[in-house]
Amino acid sequence: RLADRAGVRLLCPEQRRLANLLRCWNWFHPYAQAGHGELDVILRAIEDVTTRVRVDAQRIAAVGMSAGAALAALLAFHYPRRFRAVAAFAAPPLLGAFGVHDPRAVMRRGLRTSPLLALGARHEPCAPLVIVHGTADEVVHPRCAEQLLAQALESLRRAGVQVEKLESATDDARIGSTDFRAGERLLLRRLSIRDAGHLWTGGPGGHPFCVADGVPLTALVGRFLRDAGLFDRA
């Protein structure tokens, strides 16, 4: 589905039930972990949209929750030059391309081995990435966010990018925010939402995983996309 909101093109892919009965993106498949599989489906969908509507190829972002966040994170690592920014809410870490991990076990408690092993020999930095997670998430353990952050930082280190860690104050005591910058460039942001579970909060509601109450996640993600240079500043 393609929508247009105030000049922003929104591409909302929907997975076929033949691919997954729960329509829960197969992020855990070794093909996807290696940068292909359903990542290729998303990339082809983006390419198809660009043939039909005007899109600035330098200002494309990926945003996802849960399995969608896992897919978005994989795009950030495997195709960093294709995405100006990526937002991952309640995402598991990368598993690596060898299929040795039980994805359900990883979601419950995180990786048992060093998360850096999943990067293999990759030396390209990931795309600018915001990692958002609730401290009370019972579906994807909060440890997963820390492991994904470690993978992102390691990708920058391997690429020779020196980052500065900056704790950021927020107007909401429920939100913990940490930025990682290289000079003026925002490369990573870690948002920890106190007592939040596996729900997209502050939205319109009316969906099992989207409720109107709580921290306004859409606004937080939008702020990151702006800070990462996706939108022109007013």
Side-chain angles (χ1 to χ4, degrees), residues 115-152:
L116 306 188
L117 295 175
L119 295 178
R122 186 179 300 108
H123 279 76
E124 190 171 16
C126 68
L129 174 65
V130 60
I131 300 169
V132 191
H133 219 104
T135 64
D137 194 326
E138 296 181 349
V139 177
V140 180
H141 197 283
R143 186 180 299 117
C144 291
E146 299 310 317
Q147 293 180 336
L148 180 57
L149 176 62
Q151 292 170 340

Side-chain angles (χ1 to χ4, degrees), residues 17 42 120 126 143 156 195 204:
R17 289 198 184 277
I42 300 301
C126 68
R143 186 180 299 117
L156 295 172
D195 298 330

